[in-house]
């Protein structure tokens, strides 16, 4: 790997720097037009001595910080307006979440992979796309970034922040905890499944434009899920986002159903990982053959 930048996207620095795309990938394997990346090791001690490992964590922290900053400010503006029609409304909130994910994944994909979400990191861990050490580090940095992002918003206008609910996720009146859990599972499944599909090695090999456009379907998936589930849970599908808002808002009702915004996304991410690896790509069956 001399003369090459460390691979910080998949969590194993000894792996090739990037997957060839387009026609360059068509001679990689016998009978295949793409090369399946090797599974990441569970633990790679060399990562802990690599600057790329910490740089990736810092990128996840900053991206999640900016994500919470913009989205909570948008939620505050809508909740404090006299009428939903006098501001961006629910559609604007959904666009803020989806648009920020699009921009931040685009900016950080080459450094950390652009996860910005512990559920996404968990799903990729299950699919052996990154090591356990890197996954845990990412999750910690994402949660810290979310807490700091929400804290900065509260620092601007504390009274306005607390009066608008602080962007905390709660199950809306009229819905049960089961409704909220189901919404979080399905919403996160859609997001993580889109992440797998948009970054799939097989698709990257055949369509050279896919790596460039990958952040677009991911951001659009976030937008659509928010449109559907804002009325139910305020849309979590990101445990770091829910945790950051809950810690800074810190009202009892923000913690009553908080478990839903961890259990739901992690179940949804696990189901998406299993579906993509076992059903869509049939990787276990290929390995057995």
């Amino acid at each position: 790997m001399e003369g090459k930048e460390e691979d910080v996207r998949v969590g194993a620095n000894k792996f090739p720097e990037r997957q060839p795309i387009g026609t360059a990938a068509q001679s990689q394997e016998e009978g295949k037009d793409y090369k399946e990346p090797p599974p990441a090791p569970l633990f790679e001690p060399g990562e802990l001595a690599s600057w790329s490992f910490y740089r990736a964590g810092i990128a996840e922290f900053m991206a999640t910080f900016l994500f919470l900053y913009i989205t909570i400010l948008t939620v505050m503006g809508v909740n404090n307006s006299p009428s939903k029609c006098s501001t961006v409304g629910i559609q604007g909130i959904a666009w803020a979440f989806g648009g920020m994910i699009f921009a931040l994944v685009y900016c950080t994909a080459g450094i950390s992979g652009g996860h910005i979400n512990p559920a996404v990191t968990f799903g990729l861990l299950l699919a052996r796309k990154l090591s356990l050490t890197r996954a845990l580090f990412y999750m910690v940095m994402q949660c810290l970034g979310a807490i700091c992002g929400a804290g900065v918003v509260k620092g601007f206008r504390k009274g306005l922040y607390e009066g608008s609910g602080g962007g905390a996720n709660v199950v809306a009146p009229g819905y049960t905890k089961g409704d909220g859990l189901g919404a979080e599972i399905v919403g996160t499944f859609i997001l993580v499944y889109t992440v797998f599909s948009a970054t799939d090695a097989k698709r990257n090999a055949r369509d050279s434009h896919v790596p460039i456009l990958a952040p677009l379907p991911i951001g659009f998936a976030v937008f659509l899920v928010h449109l559907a589930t804002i009325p139910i849970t305020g849309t979590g599908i990101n445990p770091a986002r829910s945790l950051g808002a809950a810690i800074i808002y810190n009202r009892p009702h923000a913690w009553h159903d908080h478990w839903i915004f961890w259990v739901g996304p992690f179940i949804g991410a696990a189901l998406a990982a299993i579906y993509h690896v076992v059903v869509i790509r049939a990787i276990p069956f290929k390995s057995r053959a």
Side-chain angles (χ1 to χ4, degrees), residues 17-95:
E17 183 177 9
R18 60 177 62 87
Q19 291 294 317
I21 57 176
T23 56
Q26 294 180 3
S27 61
Q28 289 289 332
E29 293 186 45
E30 295 182 6
K32 290 185 178 181
D33 59 358
Y34 69 98
K35 183 176 181 179
E36 199 73 58
L42 188 63
F43 177 68
E44 189 178 18
E47 285 186 317
L48 301 178
S50 170
W51 165 239
S52 69
F53 177 79
Y54 299 101
R55 180 181 64 171
I58 294 170
E60 287 293 308
F61 171 90
M62 184 57 65
T64 316
F65 170 86
L66 295 173
F67 180 62
L68 266 288
Y69 174 79
I70 293 297
T71 55
I72 289 184
L73 278 176
T74 305
V75 171
M76 283 174 56
V78 172
N79 288 345
N80 285 283
S81 62
S83 168
K84 300 297 183 186
C85 296
S86 64
T87 184
V88 295
I90 289 179
Q91 292 85 354
I93 293 175
W95 275 120

Side-chain angles (χ1 to χ4, degrees), residues 31-205:
K32 290 185 178 181
D33 59 358
Y34 69 98
K35 183 176 181 179
E36 199 73 58
L42 188 63
F43 177 68
E44 189 178 18
E47 285 186 317
L48 301 178
S50 170
W51 165 239
S52 69
F53 177 79
Y54 299 101
R55 180 181 64 171
I58 294 170
E60 287 293 308
F61 171 90
M62 184 57 65
T64 316
F65 170 86
L66 295 173
F67 180 62
L68 266 288
Y69 174 79
I70 293 297
T71 55
I72 289 184
L73 278 176
T74 305
V75 171
M76 283 174 56
V78 172
N79 288 345
N80 285 283
S81 62
S83 168
K84 300 297 183 186
C85 296
S86 64
T87 184
V88 295
I90 289 179
Q91 292 85 354
I93 293 175
W95 275 120
F97 279 88
M100 280 302 292
I101 287 296
F102 168 70
L104 293 170
V105 170
Y106 178 83
C107 291
T108 60
I111 302 173
S112 66
H115 299 188
I116 323 171
N117 185 337
V120 171
T121 301
F122 179 67
L124 295 174
L125 170 66
L126 294 181
R128 301 291 301 279
K129 301 295 185 182
L130 75 167
S131 67
L132 176 62
T133 48
R134 185 173 290 254
L136 293 175
F137 183 50
Y138 277 15
M139 291 180 189
V140 170
M141 296 300 283
Q142 290 158 356
C143 290
L144 291 176
I147 293 168
C148 291
V152 168
V153 174
K154 182 177 180 178
F156 284 164
R157 294 286 299 276
K158 182 176 180 179
L160 187 63
Y161 173 86
E162 294 182 346
S164 63
N169 290 120
V170 296
V171 177
Y175 293 95
T176 66
K177 288 179 171 60
D179 295 334
L181 181 62
E184 290 296 305
I185 291 173
V186 175
T188 311
F189 178 92
I190 293 169
L191 169 60
V192 179
Y193 177 47
T194 303
V195 170
F196 275 113
S197 298
T199 59
D200 187 87
K202 184 175 182 179
R203 179 170 294 180
N204 287 353

Side-chain angles (χ1 to χ4, degrees), residues 199-287:
T199 59
D200 187 87
K202 184 175 182 179
R203 179 170 294 180
N204 287 353
R206 295 175 177 175
D207 302 311
S208 61
H209 64 279
V210 166
I212 300 173
L213 296 181
L216 182 59
I218 295 171
F220 202 63
V222 172
F223 164 70
L224 293 174
V225 171
H226 275 76
L227 282 182
T229 59
I230 282 177
I232 304 174
T233 62
T235 309
I237 67 171
N238 184 333
R241 171 260 187 275
S242 300
L243 178 67
I247 286 178
I248 299 302
Y249 185 55
N250 199 27
R251 298 289 181 86
H253 70 274
W255 295 106
H256 286 165
D257 302 324
H258 185 71
W259 64 271
I260 289 173
F261 302 100
W262 283 86
V263 175
F266 273 70
I267 292 176
L271 293 174
I274 294 169
Y275 180 70
H276 178 78
V277 172
V278 177
V279 179
I280 300 300
R281 297 300 312 282
I283 290 176
F285 304 102
K286 294 177 184 178
S287 301

